[in-house]
């Protein structure tokens, strides 16, 4: 099992945009020093708790301040970008990364973002746009000119050489392109089916483990369409994690601090508005009113001493049938930086060595 990081990024609404950005950069430097494998940075436009409209700005700076960690958007919201422009921008970023770029894509799930960009998410237009945009981006990276794509949402031409020397010339450094990751939320997720179908990295967001177990079925269903054999080693699992010296300290620093505040003020009410609290329940008969910060901490989060956290990760691993990379969900602890750094350190240095027997290639403890 490997470790990574998934940052929306999350900051409280009173936090300045640069102040939050600087905290994210600090965490990315720590992750690199501690030997984390990768970090994914989200994109949102209308959520004060998730204030980053352009993940590549953070990625570009972080690449200059780190040496080994792979970093990428997690992901670019494809309905809001012209695919030809994004293909060239991400290809350039891959060169700046010296081949350390991951390319995450997503369809966008916030109705307020849909409204800003006039995308009809209720009808699934965002998902259709995502599929078409990704098809164009991959074509831009891999198919020689000339060609013209005439789609439902975009018409894009990759022209032949003009005036002897003007021609498309920007391709990624990694061949044929950077690893592509997609995040899934819902049961029978279309996005995760796409991951299976195309051999992309599947990422399951921070929901109840019993619910997330169904996500691998979607990956396999997609893979069956194209005759692929997906590997659980590629499956990323996003979880809320806080490790401290004792269970009591970890509980206080998580539920009683920024993790609890963000979940209580933003994430739980947001899921409630969408009718998505079911995704957090350990069993369907739990009433919505019982799905509180404490309920999530007990049932979904990985919080405690190194011994407790080791046990919880192993339990989730067995419940879902195995996964390859645990992605720590990022929170803003700039008011207690040493506690967040210590949590990341304990997870890498004390917990991970005790999980080496878990082999996702077979889906259970080896």
């Amino acid at each position: 099992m490997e470790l990574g990081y998934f940052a929306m990024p999350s900051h409280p609404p009173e936090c300045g945009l640069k102040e939050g950005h600087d905290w994210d950069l600090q965490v990315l430097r720590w992750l690199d020093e501690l030997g984390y494998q990768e970090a994914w940075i989200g994109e949102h436009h209308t959520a004060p708790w998730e204030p980053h409209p352009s993940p590549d700005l953070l990625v570009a700076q972080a690449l200059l301040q780190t040496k080994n960690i792979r970093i990428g958007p997690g992901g670019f919201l494809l309905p809001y970008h012209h695919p030809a422009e994004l293909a060239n921008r991400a290809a350039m970023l891959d060169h700046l990364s010296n081949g350390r770029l991951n390319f995450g894509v997503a369809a966008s799930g916030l109705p307020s973002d849909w409204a800003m960009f006039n995308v009809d998410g209720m009808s699934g237009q965002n998902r259709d746009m995502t599929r078409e945009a990704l098809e164009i981006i991959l074509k831009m990276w891999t198919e020689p000119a000339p060609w013209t794509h005439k789609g439902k949402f975009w018409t894009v031409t990759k022209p032949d050489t003009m005036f002897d020397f003007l021609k498309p010339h920007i391709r990624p450094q990694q061949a044929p392109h950077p690893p592509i990751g997609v995040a899934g939320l819902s049961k029978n997720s279309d996005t995760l089916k796409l991951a299976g179908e195309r051999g992309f990295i599947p990422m399951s967001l921070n929901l109840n483990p019993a619910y997330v177990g169904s996500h691998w079925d979607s990956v396999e269903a997609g893979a069956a369409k194209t005759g692929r054999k997906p590997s659980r080693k590629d499956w990323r699992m996003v979880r809320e994690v806080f490790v401290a010296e004792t269970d009591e300290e970890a509980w206080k620093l998580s539920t009683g601090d920024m993790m609890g505040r963000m979940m209580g003020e933003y994430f739980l009410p947001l899921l409630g508005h969408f009718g998505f609290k079911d995704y957090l329940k350990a069993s369907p008969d739990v009433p919505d009113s019982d799905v509180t910060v404490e309920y999530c901490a007990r049932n979904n989060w990985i919080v405690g001493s190194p011994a407790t956290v080791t046990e919880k990760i192993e339990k989730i691993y067995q419940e879902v049938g195995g996964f390859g990379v645990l992605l720590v969900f990022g929170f803003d602890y700039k008011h207690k930086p040493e506690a967040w750094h210590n949590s990341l350190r304990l997870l890498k240095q004390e917990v991970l060595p005790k999980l080496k027997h878990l082999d996702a290639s077979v889906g259970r403890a080896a």
Side-chain angles (χ1 to χ4, degrees):
M1 187 184 292
E2 296 288 348
L3 293 175
Y5 196 77
F6 187 90
M8 296 197 295
S10 171
H11 301 287
E14 71 273 12
C15 174
L17 292 175
K18 184 174 186 302
E19 188 187 359
H21 183 92
D22 289 347
W23 166 252
D24 295 324
L25 275 175
Q26 174 61 76
V27 173
L28 289 163
R29 289 194 296 271
W30 286 340
L31 295 167
D32 188 49
E33 289 159 10
L34 289 167
Y36 278 62
Q37 173 179 288
E38 65 195 35
W40 303 83
I41 313 298
E43 172 187 340
H44 302 87
H45 295 267
T46 55
W49 270 98
E50 304 180 78
H52 217 303
S54 186
D56 48 339
L57 291 175
L58 178 57
V59 171
Q61 283 193 288
L63 288 166
L64 292 172
Q65 298 181 27
T66 56
K67 294 190 177 115
N68 301 306
I69 189 170
R70 298 187 62 83
I71 313 176
F76 279 123
L77 302 180
L78 294 192
Y80 311 143
H81 298 275
H82 191 289
E85 185 271 342
L86 188 59
N88 288 337
R89 199 164 93 228
M92 183 68 189
L93 190 57
D94 191 34
H95 285 268
L96 298 183
S97 79
N98 261 330
R100 278 198 282 141
L101 183 73
N102 286 344
F103 184 69
V105 299
S108 176
L110 291 179
S112 47
D113 279 5
W114 299 340
M116 179 175 277
F117 291 92
N118 193 33
V119 169
D120 182 6
M122 293 307 289
S123 72
Q125 185 187 48
N126 58 327
R127 290 193 294 275
D128 296 341
M129 292 177 82
T130 297
R131 275 184 177 263
E132 185 180 324
L134 189 54
E135 184 186 339
I136 294 167
I137 290 167
L138 291 172
K139 239 177 134 172
M140 287 283 292
W141 286 345
T142 58
E143 290 192 21
W147 52 257
T148 294
H149 170 100
K150 289 190 175 176
K152 186 175 174 185
F153 304 103
W154 291 281
T155 296
V156 173
T157 295
K158 189 170 185 179
D160 210 343
T161 303
M162 299 171 70
F163 307 106
D164 300 325
F165 46 73
L166 301 179
K167 62 181 181 180
H169 64 98
I170 299 172
R171 286 189 301 277
Q173 178 175 321
Q174 297 175 83
H177 52 70
I180 293 174
V182 294
L185 181 77
S186 55
K187 206 164 190 168
N188 302 314
S189 164
D190 271 352
T191 317
L192 292 176
K193 283 178 186 163
L194 177 66
E197 197 179 307
R198 306 292 292 271
F200 300 152
I201 295 168
M203 294 188 275
S204 288
L205 296 180
N206 46 316
L207 307 169
N208 184 273
Y211 180 91
V212 165
S214 70
H215 281 184
W216 191 250
D217 297 337
S218 295
V219 175
E220 290 196 316
K225 280 190 196 171
T226 49
R228 291 177 183 272
K229 180 68 183 148
S231 168
R232 284 177 176 270
K233 277 184 179 292
D234 296 332
W235 191 13
R236 271 66 168 167
M237 192 73 59
V238 181
R239 311 297 318 158
E240 293 90 347
V241 182
F242 207 108
V243 197
E245 308 302 336
T246 66
D247 289 350
E248 294 73 24
E249 190 187 356
W251 183 267
K252 186 177 163 191
L253 285 166
S254 57
T255 57
D257 213 303
M258 192 53 77
M259 277 172 72
R261 185 184 159 199
M262 181 275 208
M263 295 297 285
E265 290 183 22
Y266 174 60
F267 202 61
L268 287 178
L270 182 71
L271 292 183
H273 282 304
F274 295 162
F276 283 178
K277 278 195 173 179
D278 284 356
Y279 296 171
L280 299 173
K281 296 174 183 177
S283 67
D285 54 355
V286 174
D288 278 10
S289 57
D290 284 4
V291 183
T292 61
V293 170
E294 290 73 19
Y295 177 91
C296 291
R298 280 194 307 273
N299 291 280
N300 303 334
W301 297 2
I302 304 173
V303 166
S305 66
T308 299
V309 164
T310 303
E311 190 182 309
K312 286 185 176 182
I313 293 172
E314 181 145 9
K315 182 170 181 281
I316 291 170
Y317 183 96
Q318 301 296 353
E319 273 180 27
V320 302
F323 60 93
V325 183
L326 175 68
L327 298 179
V328 176
F329 194 96
F331 291 93
D332 186 327
Y333 274 81
K334 62 182 172 297
H335 59 297
K336 288 180 184 167
E338 64 293 333
W340 192 244
H341 181 270
N342 192 45
S343 175
L344 294 170
R345 182 188 66 78
L346 289 171
L347 183 63
K348 181 69 169 72
Q349 295 176 0
E350 297 201 18
V351 174
L352 192 64
K354 296 185 176 74
L355 298 170
K356 286 298 179 194
H357 61 289
L358 300 179
D359 181 1
S361 63
V362 294
R364 60 179 62 85

